[in-house]
Amino acid sequence: MSQKIIVDPITRIEGHLRVEVVVDENNVVKEAYSGSTLWRGIEVIVKGRDPRDAGFLTQRICGVCTFSHYKAGIVAVENALGITPPLNALLTRTLMNSALFLHDHIVHFYQLHALDWVDIVSALSADVKKASDLAFTFTPNPYATGADKLLEVQKRVKTFVDKGNLGPFANAYYGHPTYRLSPEENLIALSHYLECLRVQRIIAQCMAIFGAKNPHPQSLTVGGVTCIMDLLSPARMGEYLEKFKEVADFVNRAYYPDLIMAGKKYATEASVVNDVGVPNLFTFKEFQLGANEWLFESGIIKNGDLSKVYEVEEDKITEEATHSWYKNDAPLHPYDGETEPNYTGLVDGESIDHHGKVVKTKNFNTAGKYSWIKAPRYDGEAMQVGPLANIAVNYVKGNKYVVPVVDEFLKVTGLPITAVLSTLGRTATRCIEAKVIADNALTAFNNLVENLKTDQSTCAPYVIDPNKEYKGRYMGHVPRGTLSHWCRIKNGVIENWQAVVPSTWNASPKDSKGKGGSYEECLIGLKIADVKQPLEIIRKIHSYDPCIACAVHVMDTKGNNLSEYKVSVNV
């Protein structure tokens, strides 16, 4: 007898995501559906606006990937107008992007994803001396794992437990049979979790040095950047350099060793291996290091075949809305995309609750429309984007920055390269991507310093002819995968804008042919140990680092306040 499990909302992500699965009598997932339950609408908001404002508006898509959408909004217009910014501006954007990636990846691994792998309650029973010694087996220079430090961490968390409240660690499935780390390993990760709360502030400051503020920087403009005073200040440049090195040290001595620790222990956990989801992988070049050099390259891998990479053909990208709450179902290229809402709601149904009882619920209408997310396709096929795709494509292409890190990780953990194609691989490649950035992004910094000695230009001149029509796009790789913004400009204002975001690719609902996105596909065949505690679903979905906030913007068309909040500094 089949049963339905609903996880709504998926917590510890950005935005509002709901997952419904149907399991058989053996608790094996036979059907899966994922959907965003709130609307974005930013494409509608920017229509009729001055294209020079697009970046400032599109960065409000999200509170995390602000720089990604900001840059995308600026570059799409530059592309439309035929503008090439000065090298100083391009390298400054790389430094800001590096800060964003490192911030995003460490926060995802520790604050958003760690509790899927780390049993905090178990850490309280660890032997601190044994844990301290164990840390040296993952790195010769461990980070924040001395016995005194670990004892302090234990006492700090025990304070929450004694009060009967786990605070930020509450509402996890501690004691679940698929947790694999020992108490000592859990304690090491817990120490790094707490350290990450401090380190993420430092890398956010790196963004603010050139961006004026974080999370919504202000220094990018169509044609270049406006932070010339900071670029010409040795003190400001030095501040970025020292802060970046401090965070890179955390990546190499805490994040990467923790990945090795988890990789070894979870390599035999059935619920996180051999589940690639959609096996078509798509990434686009990012991180300009010099005049003609990029850290990551573009490419496509089809059907999980790690022997060949195809070049990207942009005209093969479409979005359709057969199961999305929009009016036009037809697949359209983003330049011609339409965003007219058509909400048809949920339907009456049943599911099992956290006690294992069957209850009446409102369910997705899986025969009709069930998500605010459209279904992007490449040449008619669903694609997976993100660090897994980026690292796999660049490894197969022989990228000199990526290959040594991947080979070292596989050697230490004993995993085969095919292990990348899994939930475990998805989590691992995010760390590998962070390490590649931490180890190489300062090449852009050094090239910027050299270029400033002979060239201090930061912005290219341009004109917008109101009598001409333009179209342009940004395509690139951001923390959660391939991002593209597509615009048409007419009469000097934005006529049409479409943002195809990474989580749209991965969280896509089914298309007209019944093919789902990677979230849905990776859940098919999953065996759930306890239907009352579907940790395996959470762990898989979290491995994509969902950012459904990109699909969540809402506004009152009459300008009324929807709600108001006051934050007291004394609390």
Side-chain angles (χ1 to χ4, degrees), residues 501-522:
V501 309
S503 292
T504 312
W505 286 99
N506 291 332
S508 155
K510 291 175 175 47
D511 58 24
S512 60
K513 295 178 287 189
K515 292 183 177 179
S518 205
Y519 289 6
E520 295 182 349
E521 292 299 314
C522 82

Side-chain angles (χ1 to χ4, degrees), residues 75-126:
V75 174
V77 175
E78 290 174 344
N79 182 256
L81 300 178
I83 300 169
T84 301
L87 181 60
N88 292 331
L90 298 175
L91 295 178
T92 301
R93 292 176 182 180
T94 295
L95 298 182
M96 296 171 70
N97 207 19
S98 303
L100 173 78
F101 264 76
L102 293 190
H103 182 276
D104 195 285
H105 284 357
I106 61 175
V107 168
H108 171 259
F109 185 74
Y110 289 104
Q111 273 68 57
L112 303 181
H113 197 24
L115 302 188
D116 303 335
W117 310 86
V118 178
D119 189 329
I120 300 299
V121 175
S122 164
L124 298 180
S125 63

Side-chain angles (χ1 to χ4, degrees), residues 424-555:
L424 182 61
R426 200 172 294 110
T427 301
T429 48
R430 182 167 279 102
C431 178
I432 289 171
E433 186 173 274
K435 179 172 171 53
V436 172
I437 294 167
D439 292 347
N440 298 287
L442 290 181
T443 299
F445 180 92
N446 295 332
N447 286 336
L448 175 60
V449 170
E450 285 301 310
N451 199 62
L452 283 168
K453 292 176 181 176
T454 57
D455 172 18
Q456 296 183 357
S457 60
T458 56
C459 199
Y462 63 90
V463 293
I464 302 176
D465 186 344
N467 298 314
K468 289 180 62 177
E469 294 185 23
Y470 305 91
K471 69 174 183 179
R473 95 302 184 251
Y474 162 84
M475 286 191 70
H477 175 66
V478 299
R480 293 169 177 84
T482 305
L483 170 69
S484 60
H485 281 221
W486 310 75
C487 72
R488 286 184 179 273
I489 301 169
K490 186 177 180 180
N491 299 324
V493 299
I494 296 170
E495 182 186 44
N496 193 16
W497 195 282
Q498 295 294 322
V500 186
V501 309
S503 292
T504 312
W505 286 99
N506 291 332
S508 155
K510 291 175 175 47
D511 58 24
S512 60
K513 295 178 287 189
K515 292 183 177 179
S518 205
Y519 289 6
E520 295 182 349
E521 292 299 314
C522 82
L523 294 173
I524 303 297
L526 172 67
K527 183 174 176 57
I528 297 175
D530 182 351
V531 294
K532 301 187 297 299
Q533 294 188 333
L535 173 62
E536 300 91 334
I537 294 176
I538 306 294
R539 190 183 280 150
K540 284 182 181 295
I541 298 298
H542 277 171
S543 71
Y544 291 90
D545 193 7
C547 192
I548 311 304
C550 294
V552 175
H553 285 248
V554 61
M555 64 181 291

Side-chain angles (χ1 to χ4, degrees), residues 94-306:
T94 295
L95 298 182
M96 296 171 70
N97 207 19
S98 303
L100 173 78
F101 264 76
L102 293 190
H103 182 276
D104 195 285
H105 284 357
I106 61 175
V107 168
H108 171 259
F109 185 74
Y110 289 104
Q111 273 68 57
L112 303 181
H113 197 24
L115 302 188
D116 303 335
W117 310 86
V118 178
D119 189 329
I120 300 299
V121 175
S122 164
L124 298 180
S125 63
D127 181 317
V128 295
K129 177 62 169 59
K130 187 178 175 183
S132 182
D133 293 342
L134 182 65
F136 284 93
T137 64
F138 306 116
T139 174
N141 193 10
Y143 195 104
T145 54
D148 291 345
K149 176 67 177 179
L150 294 177
L151 183 60
E152 175 192 328
V153 169
Q154 265 187 334
K155 289 180 178 178
R156 192 172 169 185
V157 175
K158 192 171 184 303
T159 302
F160 285 109
V161 176
D162 291 343
K163 291 179 180 177
N165 183 353
L166 279 172
F169 308 114
N171 299 323
Y173 297 132
Y174 302 128
H176 194 277
T178 63
Y179 279 123
R180 290 298 188 96
L181 299 182
S182 69
E184 286 71 29
E185 290 165 330
N186 283 317
L187 182 57
I188 292 170
L190 176 58
S191 178
H192 293 159
Y193 178 109
L194 297 175
E195 283 295 309
C196 186
L197 296 173
R198 179 183 63 82
V199 173
Q200 65 177 269
R201 184 178 70 247
I202 297 170
I203 198 64
Q205 290 167 346
C206 280
M207 170 69 78
I209 288 171
F210 299 125
K213 57 186 294 191
N214 185 280
H216 291 287
Q218 299 290 301
S219 61
L220 268 59
T221 188
V222 172
V225 296
T226 61
C227 51
I228 181 63
M229 295 293 287
D230 299 299
L231 297 177
L232 296 180
S233 166
R236 296 289 279 170
M237 294 291 281
E239 186 179 0
Y240 179 93
L241 183 63
E242 292 307 311
K243 289 181 182 297
F244 186 91
K245 287 180 177 177
E246 185 173 352
V247 177
D249 184 54
F250 177 79
V251 170
N252 279 304
R253 293 173 52 216
Y255 187 5
Y256 185 64
D258 284 352
L259 172 67
I260 293 173
M261 179 174 74
K264 289 182 174 180
K265 279 300 181 71
Y266 279 89
T268 57
E269 169 51 46
S271 65
V272 296
V273 296
N274 303 320
D275 59 328
V276 66
V278 170
N280 303 312
L281 312 178
F282 173 25
T283 193
F284 207 83
K285 70 178 181 181
E286 193 62 71
F287 288 98
Q288 188 164 355
L289 298 178
N292 298 298
E293 185 180 12
W294 299 77
L295 184 59
F296 298 122
E297 303 169 53
S298 307
I300 286 176
I301 289 176
K302 299 180 180 178
N303 297 317
D305 180 359
L306 297 179

Side-chain angles (χ1 to χ4, degrees), residues 240-436:
Y240 179 93
L241 183 63
E242 292 307 311
K243 289 181 182 297
F244 186 91
K245 287 180 177 177
E246 185 173 352
V247 177
D249 184 54
F250 177 79
V251 170
N252 279 304
R253 293 173 52 216
Y255 187 5
Y256 185 64
D258 284 352
L259 172 67
I260 293 173
M261 179 174 74
K264 289 182 174 180
K265 279 300 181 71
Y266 279 89
T268 57
E269 169 51 46
S271 65
V272 296
V273 296
N274 303 320
D275 59 328
V276 66
V278 170
N280 303 312
L281 312 178
F282 173 25
T283 193
F284 207 83
K285 70 178 181 181
E286 193 62 71
F287 288 98
Q288 188 164 355
L289 298 178
N292 298 298
E293 185 180 12
W294 299 77
L295 184 59
F296 298 122
E297 303 169 53
S298 307
I300 286 176
I301 289 176
K302 299 180 180 178
N303 297 317
D305 180 359
L306 297 179
S307 67
K308 187 174 183 179
V309 174
Y310 298 83
E311 295 305 313
V312 177
E313 299 177 61
E314 298 176 22
D315 60 352
K316 291 185 175 180
I317 296 173
T318 59
E319 284 193 298
E320 68 147 89
T322 301
H323 290 284
S324 307
W325 284 310
Y326 298 98
K327 287 188 176 177
N328 191 344
D329 294 349
L332 299 172
H333 188 275
Y335 276 136
D336 304 312
E338 299 179 10
T339 310
E340 191 170 357
N342 178 30
Y343 182 65
T344 54
L346 305 179
V347 296
D348 292 331
E350 295 179 341
S351 65
I352 53 177
D353 66 8
H354 63 286
H355 298 297
K357 296 181 178 178
V358 176
V359 294
K360 300 289 185 184
T361 51
K362 288 289 186 181
N363 296 357
F364 281 149
N365 178 13
T366 54
K369 296 176 181 290
Y370 62 89
S371 179
W372 282 112
I373 293 176
K374 293 182 183 177
R377 294 293 182 264
Y378 180 88
D379 199 17
E381 298 292 332
M383 308 297 288
Q384 180 176 170
V385 301
L388 186 157
N390 189 47
I391 295 301
V393 165
N394 280 275
Y395 183 79
V396 176
K397 293 187 87 167
N399 184 306
K400 66 179 181 181
Y401 301 109
V402 171
V403 170
V405 182
V406 173
D407 284 344
E408 175 65 19
F409 174 73
L410 297 178
K411 178 183 176 183
V412 173
T413 59
L415 293 167
I417 182 60
T418 50
V420 167
L421 305 177
S422 67
T423 293
L424 182 61
R426 200 172 294 110
T427 301
T429 48
R430 182 167 279 102
C431 178
I432 289 171
E433 186 173 274
K435 179 172 171 53
V436 172

